[in-house]
Amino acid sequence: MTSPTLDCSDIDNYLGKPIQPARMVEPINNGDIRRWVQAMHYPNRLHYDAGYAAQSRWGDMVAPQSFAVTMDCAHGSAPSCIGRVPNSHMLFGGDEWWFYGPRMVAGDRILNERIPFDYIVKDTKFAGPTCFQRGDNFYYNQQGDLIAKQRSTSIRYSQEAGKDNVPTEGFDDPVWTDDQLEELEERKMQWVQMLHDLGHDRRWWDDATVGAALPERVVGPHSIVSFATEWRSYIFTQWGGTHRRTDLDMEALGFVKEMAGHENDPVMEAINPEFTDGAYVGPSRGHLFPRWARFIGMPRGYGYGASMGAWITDYFAGWAGEWGMIRHSACNYRSPALTGDITITTGTILDKFVDEDGRHMVQVDCRMANQAGAVLATAKAEIELPKRPA
């Protein structure tokens, strides 16, 4: 078989130049926040229980730090998926986040500035020549306060090469017995209980011990239902919910005809929004339909990279508690969550220090794996925790 080629030269025309943003039509509301944490399996009462949140340090519901990614019409991938790469498809490769302090609350209008950053082409076993492209998103509130910066990585590759390398032994979902499912629910509850036990209290920096393990978190088994629920929690997937980009053309980006469609097309949305809805037609349907998953190199339905990033952010933030804050994280996505699998997250405290701004920080890592031990993602983060008074 002839080795595929990948022409990425058009990307050079966009690097360092802001691209058109998308804007949410209405301000954030508490329903948006609740829908998000429900879809991300994050039962932190700060983000869905108004009575509980009223007793918190904020006195009201706040969005989780992971919520920033839904303030974009492409999961943050727009500036990392610009420029024509013919006959290609894309997957999420990772995200790096910097958080600056302001929290998102109902009534906020979040603006996103998008700037393509860089790219590199490498050979991979999955698809031969593969483009790793990065782009920056700057999320601001209506006061102009910078909430977060996201540096997203997209993996762009030959659709034909991905299709040729689909692992056929992975077409079927694993089967879980009733006893196994009951055991999984018990394991899940241990992490949820950690959230309840900490409550509104502080997790003190002084008590953090280098080398200590973070609690295990289990999500799944994943299904088409859970992935579709994730999709619908992104505000841009709601018909009429976003002022769409007018410069977006999936075929012009190089997506093959079968996967391009009219996803997020503002003209077609006014005619027939089903044609613009990636759950039905376009590049996003590979997540929800096994036929189209295999067409782009996945054995069966698979989860969203941005959701995987949210699971990581929520894992760290849930442990840190309402008085802690993730300041920086870097996540690498190696393989998506597949239908029928579970995702197991574990972590370790790597270091504790006082940074140059006088903040008391802990460095942590985490590892996401499925039930067979295959690594799905890894991450490191620096988290600010309160210092116990002298």
Side-chain angles (χ1 to χ4, degrees), residues 9-30:
S9 58
D10 188 49
I11 297 174
D12 293 317
N13 296 314
Y14 298 90
L15 297 181
K17 302 173 184 177
I19 65 173
Q20 188 181 111
R23 300 283 189 254
M24 303 302 123
V25 172
E26 286 94 19
I28 299 168
N29 64 60
N30 283 338

Side-chain angles (χ1 to χ4, degrees), residues 23-334:
R23 300 283 189 254
M24 303 302 123
V25 172
E26 286 94 19
I28 299 168
N29 64 60
N30 283 338
D32 296 327
I33 298 170
R34 291 188 177 102
R35 187 179 299 109
W36 176 255
V37 295
Q38 181 176 349
M40 297 302 130
H41 314 279
Y42 185 34
N44 188 328
R45 294 175 68 191
L46 285 172
H47 312 308
Y48 72 91
D49 184 333
Y52 180 86
Q55 302 173 42
S56 72
R57 62 180 296 194
W58 295 287
D60 205 347
M61 276 179 54
V62 295
Q65 290 187 251
S66 63
F67 190 69
V69 76
T70 197
M71 295 292 98
D72 180 88
C73 73
H75 306 184
S77 71
S80 63
C81 187
I82 192 71
R84 180 174 176 79
V85 180
N87 301 313
S88 64
H89 196 72
M90 69 83 72
L91 299 171
F92 286 81
D95 284 306
E96 188 169 8
W97 286 93
W98 294 262
F99 294 98
Y100 298 101
R103 300 300 295 255
M104 293 168 288
V105 298
D108 279 351
R109 288 185 177 273
I110 307 302
L111 310 177
N112 181 17
E113 182 183 27
R114 302 157 154 175
I115 304 176
F117 185 65
D118 66 4
Y119 72 97
I120 188 172
V121 179
K122 301 178 181 179
D123 275 321
T124 65
K125 292 181 180 179
F126 171 64
T130 302
C131 177
F132 295 84
Q133 184 178 355
R134 297 192 295 178
D136 291 341
N137 298 273
F138 298 85
Y139 298 96
Y140 298 89
N141 63 20
Q142 65 276 11
Q143 280 85 37
D145 301 322
L146 180 59
I147 295 170
K149 172 184 173 181
Q150 174 195 16
R151 177 162 291 167
S152 179
T153 299
S154 291
I155 300 172
R156 304 180 73 180
Y157 62 97
S158 162
Q159 172 271 324
E160 191 65 31
K163 179 181 178 182
D164 288 342
N165 289 317
V166 176
T168 55
E169 70 278 4
F171 280 11
D172 297 325
D173 283 10
V175 176
W176 298 85
T177 67
D178 290 343
D179 288 343
Q180 289 172 326
L181 291 173
E182 184 175 348
E183 180 187 359
L184 286 179
E185 291 305 317
E186 293 174 358
R187 290 172 67 183
K188 291 180 191 179
M189 191 60 204
Q190 292 177 22
W191 194 79
V192 176
Q193 190 62 52
M194 180 270 296
L195 298 176
H196 294 317
D197 290 344
L198 183 59
H200 296 302
D201 291 339
R202 293 163 173 81
R203 189 173 297 285
W204 298 107
W205 177 83
D206 314 68
D207 298 334
T209 302
V210 175
L214 302 185
E216 175 193 71
R217 184 188 184 196
V218 177
V219 177
H222 309 294
S223 66
I224 295 300
V225 173
S226 67
F227 293 156
T229 302
E230 290 174 28
W231 174 253
R232 289 296 174 216
S233 70
Y234 290 92
I235 296 173
F236 78 89
T237 70
Q238 299 166 17
W239 298 353
T242 306
H243 296 293
R244 308 289 180 189
R245 292 170 60 189
T246 59
D247 65 342
L248 181 62
D249 183 334
M250 305 307 288
E251 286 197 58
L253 289 176
F255 282 79
V256 294
K257 181 179 179 181
E258 293 88 344
M259 300 302 288
H262 295 277
E263 189 169 315
N264 290 323
D265 182 330
V267 176
M268 182 57 73
E269 185 175 46
I271 300 169
N272 185 350
E274 286 199 0
F275 285 162
T276 73
D277 191 326
Y280 306 132
V281 181
S284 296
R285 65 177 169 176
H287 293 279
L288 304 178
F289 296 91
R291 170 193 172 188
W292 295 113
R294 292 162 193 161
F295 185 76
I296 53 89
M298 293 294 125
R300 55 188 189 269
Y302 65 101
Y304 300 88
S307 299
M308 186 179 293
W311 298 343
I312 291 171
T313 300
D314 294 341
Y315 177 73
F316 289 141
W319 174 80
E322 70 181 65
W323 294 90
M325 186 174 194
I326 303 168
R327 289 294 183 174
H328 171 257
S329 68
C331 314
N332 295 305
Y333 311 144
R334 300 186 184 182

Side-chain angles (χ1 to χ4, degrees), residues 325-329 353 361-363 380-384:
M325 186 174 194
I326 303 168
R327 289 294 183 174
H328 171 257
S329 68
F353 58 93
M361 310 291 291
V362 294
Q363 184 184 60
K380 286 186 179 180
E382 289 75 51
I383 301 173
E384 181 180 3

